[in-house]
Amino acid sequence: MNAELTNAASMKKVRKAVFPAAGLGTRFLPVTKAQPKEMLPLVDKPIIQYGVEEALAAGCDQIIIITGRGKSAIEDHFDVSYELERMLEDRGKTELLKIVRHISDMIHLAYVRQKEALGLGHAVLMARELVGDEPFAVLLADDVVDAEVPCLKQMIDVFNETQCSVIATQVVEGPAISSYGVLDVHPADGRFDGRLFEIKNMVEKPKFADAPSKLAITGRYILTPGVFEMLAQTPHGAGGELQLTDGMKLLLQKEKMYAYVYEGKRHDTGDKLGFLKATVEFALKRDDLGGPFREYLKGLKL
Ligand code: UTP
């Protein structure tokens, strides 16, 4: 179905957000040997919590987390911790109690296990039954997007108007583009302040000279349910992995898909340097820490 629907009655809504979190996190070894990278703290909050809060702020009310071996800390984090809550209550630590309760009260979360890390496409396919026949969001937790309007909310606004899949993109200058999936696009008539593009094709990690544009795919997607069938049909590639890009390329042959250049700053916290930069920037923005931390940084003889 390709048509952009205008009939309010047939408008579909994005209610479900899928967080693939079953990857091995090899770029962040050794800390990821026994700890999920999604639980690394940006100041004092695990990175996956930033993503879950973004999805809730964007209006999603069902969160599906794809987990794997060694990821139980994620489930524990969003679960109720009676012992901790009782201890904080007994000691009159009401502010901390509020923070802890806020996490477990947040929402009902569902978990699906990806038994083997067979790629992002395979991880998304694990959510097929829980998502069913409706559009859904995919958020890669280690892409933390600092934005005035939550990145996913911006994308849902685009989806609500187009009723088509929307992929978040950012402009990447120079050879660094080779580390990304890159989009071949044409402008969508200046819609959304010129931030919207219609996708013609996508290429995974092209050579700099072969990159069709500067538009790199980042870790936020809104996909129509048709992508599940496409993923199921896609043969696994190198290392037995099923890539999401391959499934989306098949979907592109059937449906119109859009790229949206979101407003905000993305941090790749799955990478050590990206994580350090994000930590500094988030700490500097904090009311309670920003001042003294800035003073400390100024005192460093760099
Ligand atoms: P990445 O390639 O960034 O994550 O996958 P990774 O494989 O965990 O990390 P490195 O590259 O080895 O350091 C993007 C997202 O897809 C998830 C990851 O958890 C991450 O959120 N993923 C990846 C899965 O859930 N399953 C997989 O089989 C692969």
Side-chain angles (χ1 to χ4, degrees), residues 20-27 37-38 114 117-120 123 140 142:
L24 302 176
T26 53
R27 282 174 298 156
K37 68 174 172 184
E38 294 78 10
Q114 185 190 22
L118 291 178
L120 177 57
L140 307 189
D142 45 4

Side-chain angles (χ1 to χ4, degrees), residues 23-24 114 116-122 205 234-244 246:
L24 302 176
Q114 185 190 22
E116 262 185 283
L118 291 178
L120 177 57
H122 184 256
K205 300 186 176 158
T234 307
H236 289 228
E241 293 204 349
L242 178 56
Q243 299 306 339
L244 182 58
D246 291 336

Side-chain angles (χ1 to χ4, degrees), residues 12-292:
K12 296 224 156 93
K13 282 218 172 328
V14 180
R15 301 183 306 129
K16 298 178 180 174
V18 176
F19 286 79
L24 302 176
T26 53
R27 282 174 298 156
F28 230 123
L29 279 167
V31 72
T32 44
K33 187 176 169 220
Q35 190 190 193
K37 68 174 172 184
E38 294 78 10
M39 288 303 295
L40 293 175
L42 261 191
V43 188
D44 55 4
K45 213 159 51 168
I47 60 172
I48 192 163
Q49 192 178 332
Y50 288 89
V52 169
E53 287 176 352
E54 179 182 329
L56 299 181
C60 294
D61 57 14
Q62 292 184 48
I63 305 290
I64 299 163
I65 301 184
I66 314 297
T67 64
R69 267 172 63 84
K71 300 280 183 168
S72 53
I74 300 177
E75 293 181 43
D76 290 342
H77 179 71
F78 289 109
D79 203 356
V80 179
S81 172
Y82 292 109
E83 302 85 348
L84 180 62
E85 288 187 17
R86 244 245 311 281
M87 187 270 283
L88 293 172
E89 216 166 356
D90 289 349
R91 296 188 187 173
K93 308 241 179 210
T94 43
E95 273 313 300
L96 289 177
L97 186 61
K98 240 197 269 169
I99 292 172
V100 167
R101 286 220 172 114
H102 162 72
I103 301 166
S104 50
D105 282 353
M106 237 187 295
I107 198 135
H108 174 73
L109 285 96
Y111 297 91
V112 185
R113 190 108 172 168
Q114 185 190 22
K115 287 190 188 142
E116 262 185 283
L118 291 178
L120 177 57
H122 184 256
V124 171
L125 192 51
M126 295 294 104
R128 185 176 193 171
E129 269 183 45
L130 282 178
V131 170
D133 191 26
E134 50 182 289
F136 64 104
V138 175
L139 294 93
L140 307 189
D142 45 4
D143 275 345
V144 176
V145 185
D146 189 11
E148 220 159 276
V149 177
C151 178
L152 190 65
K153 168 84 174 62
Q154 298 176 40
M155 296 170 67
I156 286 181
D157 288 346
V158 174
F159 176 83
N160 286 344
E161 200 179 301
T162 61
Q163 296 283 291
C164 294
S165 295
V166 185
I167 300 179
T169 59
Q170 66 173 33
V171 174
V172 172
E173 301 287 349
I177 192 86
S178 297
S179 319
Y180 294 85
V182 183
L183 297 171
D184 190 5
V185 296
H186 52 80
D189 306 328
R191 288 160 76 190
F192 289 89
D193 293 332
R195 291 177 171 273
L196 194 65
F197 296 84
E198 204 182 311
I199 300 175
K200 287 195 283 183
N201 195 9
M202 42 190 105
V203 199
E204 194 56 42
K205 300 186 176 158
K207 287 194 187 122
F208 177 40
D210 299 336
S213 76
K214 293 179 180 177
L215 292 184
I217 300 178
T218 49
R220 301 282 183 280
Y221 313 77
I222 292 174
L223 298 168
T224 57
V227 76
F228 290 124
E229 192 46 44
M230 301 301 115
L231 284 168
Q233 285 174 20
T234 307
H236 289 228
E241 293 204 349
L242 178 56
Q243 299 306 339
L244 182 58
T245 312
D246 291 336
M248 292 193 302
K249 272 167 92 162
L250 284 185
L251 188 65
L252 192 56
Q253 290 172 17
K254 306 211 169 234
E255 300 178 5
K256 197 184 269 195
M257 294 177 77
Y258 286 103
Y260 178 71
V261 183
Y262 56 87
E263 284 181 80
K265 182 166 185 184
R266 166 208 176 232
H267 296 277
D268 179 6
T269 63
D271 165 78
K272 289 175 191 174
L273 185 58
F275 179 82
L276 288 173
K277 289 179 183 172
T279 301
V280 170
E281 290 193 27
F282 275 70
L284 284 172
K285 282 188 175 193
R286 285 273 294 249
D287 290 340
D288 54 345
L289 294 167

